[in-house]
Amino acid sequence: MDLFAPRAPAGLSAPDASGVVRIALPVPEDRLFDYAVPAALADQAEPGRRALVPLGGRRVTGVIVERADAPSPEARGKLRVLAQIVDPEPVLAPELLKVLRDEARALLCPIGVALQAALPAGSAPRPVELVELSARGRQALASGAAPPELVRVLGALSGGALSRPALARRGRASAETLTGLEREGFLRRTSGLRGPAAREATVPTVRLSSGTDVATACAGPLARAPKQAALLRQLAARGDCDLAALAGEFPTAGPLVRELARRGLVERGTRRASRPVLGDEVEADRGVELTADQTAALAAIGGAIAAGRHERFLLHGVTGSGKTEVYLRAVADALARGRQALILVPEITLTHQIVARLRGRFGDRMAVLHSGLSDGERLEQWQRLRRGEVPIAVGARSAVFAPLERLGLVVIDEEHDGAYKNEEGFRYHARSVGTRRAEGTGCPIVLGSATPALETRHAADAGAWRRLPLPRQIGGRPLPAVEIVDLSVERAATPRGRKLILSAPLRRALRATLAEGAQSILFLNRRGFSTKILCFECGHAEHCKHCDIALVYHAGDACLRCHYCGFEIEPPAACTGCGAPDTALLGVGTERLEEEVRAELPTARVARLDRDVASRRGATREILRGLRDGRIDVLVGTQMVAKGHDYPGVRLVGVVAADLALHLPDFRAAERTFQLLTQVAGRAGRGNVPGRVVLQTFVPDHYAIEPVRRHDYERFYRIEIEARAQLGYPPFGRLAYALVTGPDDAPTQRAAELLAAAAREAAPGAEILGPAPAPLARLRGRYRHHVLAKSADSEALEAAARALAAGAAAVRRPLAAHVDLHPVNML
Ligand code: ADP
Ligand code: ZN
């Protein structure tokens, strides 16, 4: 240390302090907080470990991000001292820490909020508020003159501090009594630590103590304890073992071991045992010979893996074109070079399928990370990766933060899927984080999709991603035949008053498929049903004059409103499309659809899969297994059934209302519709028999629907990219989105107006839309107003975003606000 440097400021007293650390705390303030490090903790206070620190009157857990020699100017004079180091080793490697800092900065997200999202939930000890005896309390207790109730309460604290609820219980006192005692100075607040909520599971083990001589012990002290002697001999023969393993031979192993331990002959311990989470599905590996297209793709990816070079690939191939096979081979390449692989899939239902295939090839050498695990299970999986015990991480969005120190490959399957976007707190996109990680570690990233996101495809054309096309299905199998049913024609042919849910062609197809002994999937995307007004006669939806976006019906004030610009009209008395007098809210849900199918096909075994059903633990897997095993004839469901993989028995896929998602007030509505329909269509006929797809729609010629007939991504892409260019939406313009919510409408709207005004002032070059009520104008009792900034000029957009972010940070409870720089869901 430089002896001539200015003295450490107050609070950092020279003899027991050793430098300063900058810590990210989980608070909505975007900065690091400086703390002095006590000399005793100097070795441990390294970046990537969590620490417990005082903040105001409480203690919080944060992540050490940097070391420094001196506090930053703002912290001078009020530097506080770090209380405790939480982790025995760093939980964030420098590589991941840097990625997180960069991504958080790019998204204007407070660094502490971002880091918290990247670590397994419940894995840090929790600071808790406690109360203890004050000097006055101790005196009162010692004096012997205190009233019995007071002695009872204070006496409960003689063993040490307790939480208030625990004290209330033990001292049999009400909360008011405790508050009173605190006010009178008998009690004092303090803080303590409770163990982490999530823990790795352990099992008890036993082994011989180092000095134990078995023969001597059996002849001597154990001469009259034959069972203990037998157990000791058994242990000598086996070596260390789980206590449970002895139970077969020694039903009373527990007490026997306790007795032997008391004599010092054996030592008891524990062993980590992760709970099984891989499930029981393993898909047998069939060694296949790669097609020429697969070979070319793998050569490109393998080259980058071998060279340890960051390269970005877009594996663009229809469903069944062999993308997964390419991922598996690339993973094998990475593993052969001693590196680890990270594989992301959008949903848990998909995770099971890919896990089964990975296991068929690589055995159980993998960890899975997804939201279906308990905190403890997720922590175990995370630890297995961090300790380098397994080389493969597979999981959903948040698995992109998997602790992999030898990362050699990143794969993002179905990269266009909206599930990769995190919608709260740290609003990252897994594609962006995955790309940063691959870049930081010098390894390739592979995005796979049959329908790449418009932005990805556009970037590929500009050279940012190298396209690896897989244009054909494996085995030259034809793609399913897609039949588009025009519902307006069907409507005309259907008796008035009869609801049109299943058209005649779809009913015929269902009956034929059942007769052939094959399976059908019926798909109904329910989202947006109740909010949008749609003429049931012609399918016409009212659109905004300025935004070319469907208007949303607000029952409260009975008007149709644009959720981008705020434009509104009264609902027309007759449909402006066809003149029909009774424009109705379409009200068909999956339950209603299921009933309809049962009525139509009384002998069929019908099952339903939607969010309601899936909320029962294990239900999704059970249903999908039923489908695979042929125990279900017709599966009815929401977009959950669109995902998933190979169900060879499914020959028919019916889409009940293909244009539903098209009218959602979102500029990505057409893109999502095309992607979803193409994906659903890919579900049919993956066995040896070609499949069949029936799409019911009111707009058969729409550019997001018509190209599905020939699985023609290119045609859709050309039209959509042109529309985006004209309207300045991504990838041509960038967006910054702000949402303000609050319990009352007027103050929420006013706050949104302030944000919009600040953005307009800060960025005259950006287009600021709104504020306008969000499409979901009230959610869980809170009103929602949003502002959208749009610009092709990065600087203008950033200025607007900063103004929005500053405004959002200044919003006070009960209002809340956030800013999203890569908005995906703007409902
Ligand atoms: P995708 O991921 O594009 O949907 P998959 O990799 O799942 O495609 O391949 C579809 C099916 O074809 C799978 O059953 C897979 O085992 C099989 N398959 C993949 N590549 C080949 C190949 N080169 N030869 C034979 N079968 C293959
Ligand atoms: Zn509008």
Side-chain angles (χ1 to χ4, degrees):
M1 197 187 242
D2 184 357
L3 292 176
F4 299 99
R7 264 203 58 102
L12 178 60
S13 50
D16 65 348
S18 166
V20 169
V21 283
R22 306 223 151 97
I23 296 192
L25 298 178
V27 294
E29 224 177 307
D30 193 8
R31 64 181 185 94
L32 297 174
F33 293 77
D34 288 8
Y35 287 90
V37 181
L41 298 179
D43 293 348
Q44 301 167 39
E46 58 180 327
R49 290 211 224 188
R50 284 170 294 188
L52 197 66
V53 296
L55 179 72
R58 46 190 192 125
R59 285 194 192 191
V60 295
T61 307
V63 180
I64 301 175
V65 170
E66 292 170 356
R67 279 181 206 265
D69 292 329
S72 49
E74 317 83 81
R76 263 187 213 133
K78 44 185 174 180
L79 197 65
R80 300 179 72 180
V81 181
L82 181 154
Q84 198 174 326
I85 299 286
V86 166
D87 300 304
E89 282 154 75
V91 286
L92 288 172
E95 169 262 323
L96 188 49
L97 198 53
K98 177 174 185 324
V99 165
L100 286 161
R101 293 184 79 180
D102 290 349
E103 184 77 3
R105 199 173 298 134
L107 296 180
L108 302 179
C109 173
I111 175 70
V113 175
L115 297 194
Q116 201 181 24
L119 291 169
S123 62
R126 293 157 294 169
V128 283
E129 296 274 334
L130 301 176
V131 280
E132 62 183 4
L133 289 176
S134 64
R136 174 147 191 234
R138 266 197 306 275
Q139 259 167 23
L141 200 58
S143 72
E149 308 85 75
L150 187 61
V151 171
R152 189 175 67 224
V153 179
L154 298 184
L157 285 172
S158 52
L162 293 174
S163 70
R164 283 177 72 107
L167 178 58
R169 229 175 13 253
R170 288 207 212 160
R172 282 178 282 138
S174 67
E176 296 80 64
T177 309
L178 295 187
T179 307
L181 291 178
E182 191 181 330
R183 202 167 337 107
E184 289 164 42
F186 290 110
L187 303 179
R188 194 171 61 187
R189 283 182 198 212
T190 177
S191 58
L193 266 193
R194 201 161 3 135
R199 277 181 228 158
E200 291 185 81
T202 56
V203 293
T205 58
V206 57
R207 62 166 182 207
L208 292 184
S209 302
S210 57
T212 301
D213 180 332
V214 177
T216 315
C218 291
L222 299 185
R224 284 198 292 168
K227 282 194 196 142
Q228 288 181 41
L231 195 148
L232 200 65
R233 280 196 210 95
Q234 175 70 243
L235 215 49
R238 281 186 175 223
D240 300 5
C241 75
D242 291 355
L243 193 55
L246 298 169
E249 205 167 330
F250 303 93
T252 55
L256 292 176
V257 165
R258 208 175 312 131
E259 199 49 34
L260 287 168
R262 201 182 52 76
R263 295 177 195 270
L265 295 169
V266 302
E267 281 167 17
R268 287 176 293 178
T270 55
R271 174 176 72 77
R272 278 193 302 264
S274 48
R275 287 155 270 206
V277 296
L278 292 181
D280 47 11
E281 284 155 53
V282 180
E283 194 169 309
D285 193 18
R286 321 178 268 123
V288 297
E289 206 168 303
L290 294 187
T291 63
D293 292 327
Q294 285 175 317
T295 306
L298 185 65
I301 300 165
I305 293 172
R309 181 175 67 229
H310 174 59
E311 214 175 322
R312 304 174 182 184
F313 299 101
L314 171 59
L315 189 60
H316 186 175
V318 295
T319 319
S321 61
K323 295 185 294 296
T324 307
E325 183 61 35
V326 173
Y327 306 151
L328 296 183
R329 302 277 179 133
V331 169
D333 271 8
L335 265 50
R337 295 184 181 272
R339 310 214 67 90
Q340 296 166 309
L342 170 62
I343 302 161
L344 300 184
V345 291
E347 297 253 351
I348 311 176
T349 46
L350 274 176
T351 317
H352 293 308
Q353 298 253 350
I354 199 145
V355 166
R357 276 177 84 173
L358 283 163
R359 286 169 92 188
R361 193 152 307 181
F362 304 105
D364 286 352
R365 293 186 293 152
M366 70 194 69
V368 298
L369 293 163
H370 56 70
S371 58
L373 305 178
S374 70
D375 285 354
E377 288 169 337
R378 195 168 325 110
L379 178 66
E380 283 164 5
Q381 297 295 308
W382 186 88
Q383 288 286 18
R384 295 178 78 199
L385 291 165
R386 198 188 59 83
R387 290 192 286 256
E389 291 169 11
V390 287
I392 301 172
V394 47
R397 177 178 65 232
S398 66
V400 76
F401 303 120
L404 299 164
E405 299 224 358
R406 289 172 290 117
L407 189 59
L409 172 70
V410 177
V411 171
I412 303 186
D413 191 27
E414 308 285 4
E415 66 87 27
H416 62 275
D417 201 293
Y420 285 123
K421 165 75 178 177
N422 195 37
E423 296 286 2
E424 60 180 24
F426 182 26
R427 293 168 185 274
Y428 65 92
H429 197 294
R431 190 202 296 132
S432 166
V433 176
T435 307
R436 287 185 194 275
R437 291 198 73 178
E439 184 166 30
T441 36
C443 77
I445 175 168
V446 181
L447 307 182
S449 180
T451 52
L454 263 269
E455 283 114 313
T456 306
R457 174 53 206 274
H458 186 73
D461 281 352
W465 297 87
R466 180 165 160 200
R467 276 184 73 205
L468 304 171
L470 298 180
R472 279 166 289 273
Q473 282 208 316
I474 294 292
R477 206 191 303 146
L479 285 161
V482 179
E483 180 184 353
I484 296 186
V485 175
D486 186 341
L487 282 178
S488 38
V489 174
E490 282 292 309
R491 177 78 262 176
T494 309
R496 263 200 114 72
R498 189 176 188 281
K499 263 212 173 171
L500 181 59
I501 297 176
L502 299 174
S503 64
L506 184 50
R507 277 183 278 137
R508 270 198 302 277
L510 279 167
R511 277 198 298 272
T513 307
L514 185 66
E516 287 163 19
Q519 295 168 302
S520 304
I521 292 180
L522 272 188
F523 169 73
L524 176 64
N525 188 356
R526 202 170 35 172
R527 269 179 78 201
F529 247 112
S530 53
T531 53
K532 176 186 60 270
I533 193 159
L534 187 75
C535 173
F536 206 74
E537 291 298 313
C538 72
H540 176 79
E542 293 292 330
H543 276 60
C544 174
K545 265 208 189 84
H546 313 293
C547 302
D548 193 25
I549 289 250
L551 296 174
V552 173
Y553 181 66
H554 287 255
D557 40 7
C559 74
L560 293 175
R561 192 175 289 145
C562 169
H563 286 292
Y564 276 11
C565 73
F567 169 78
E568 62 179 55
I569 51 166
E570 276 184 20
C575 171
T576 56
C578 72
D582 55 344
T583 43
L585 293 178
L586 202 57
V588 184
T590 38
E591 282 172 57
R592 180 68 216 285
L593 178 59
E594 184 186 358
E595 267 171 43
E596 191 80 7
V597 174
R598 287 187 194 279
E600 184 66 32
L601 306 170
T603 60
R605 296 164 296 175
V606 183
R608 175 166 57 92
L609 181 57
D610 54 24
R611 291 278 164 217
D612 301 339
V613 173
S615 61
R616 294 200 303 272
R617 199 177 159 102
T620 306
R621 290 178 77 177
E622 188 44 44
I623 289 172
L624 292 178
R625 196 175 299 162
L627 188 65
R628 169 173 295 219
D629 299 346
R631 282 182 277 116
I632 293 173
D633 296 317
V634 184
L635 178 63
V636 170
T638 54
Q639 61 255 50
M640 296 186 70
V641 304
K643 305 183 174 177
H645 255 247
D646 242 338
Y647 296 107
V650 174
R651 209 165 296 163
L652 169 69
V653 170
V655 180
V656 176
D659 35 333
L660 269 188
L662 206 53
H663 304 299
L664 286 177
D666 185 332
F667 75 91
R668 287 197 183 85
E671 177 179 5
R672 290 219 187 91
T673 298
F674 177 78
Q675 286 166 341
L676 197 60
L677 294 178
T678 304
Q679 194 170 15
V680 174
R683 299 272 75 88
R686 302 204 54 196
N688 294 319
V689 191
R692 183 169 176 199
V693 179
V694 177
L695 304 182
Q696 301 190 142
T697 172
F698 281 107
V699 283
D701 298 326
H702 193 284
Y703 72 92
I705 292 181
E706 189 272 334
V708 177
R709 196 194 295 269
R710 277 164 285 100
H711 309 267
D712 193 351
Y713 175 86
E714 294 305 316
R715 179 174 159 71
F716 166 75
Y717 173 75
R718 279 195 308 275
I719 300 173
E720 176 68 7
I721 203 77
E722 188 55 39
R724 297 273 180 100
Q726 273 177 17
L727 294 169
Y729 280 118
F732 300 97
R734 284 177 54 198
L735 302 178
Y737 170 89
L739 180 71
V740 185
T741 68
D744 297 302
D745 202 19
T748 309
Q749 184 181 349
R750 268 199 303 281
E753 274 160 11
L754 287 179
L755 259 66
R760 286 196 175 97
E761 178 162 342
E767 192 180 343
I768 313 293
L769 302 172
L776 295 167
R778 187 155 177 251
L779 199 60
R780 287 181 222 102
R782 292 176 76 83
Y783 289 87
R784 310 165 84 236
H785 290 264
H786 64 192
V787 180
L788 188 66
K790 184 165 91 170
S791 181
D793 172 359
S794 285
E795 270 176 36
L797 196 272
E798 266 155 41
R802 273 176 207 292
L804 290 173
V811 160
R812 290 285 164 260
R813 274 203 248 167
L815 299 182
H818 73 257
V819 173
D820 194 334
L821 292 197
H822 182 94
V824 168
N825 181 357
M826 294 189 284
L827 297 179

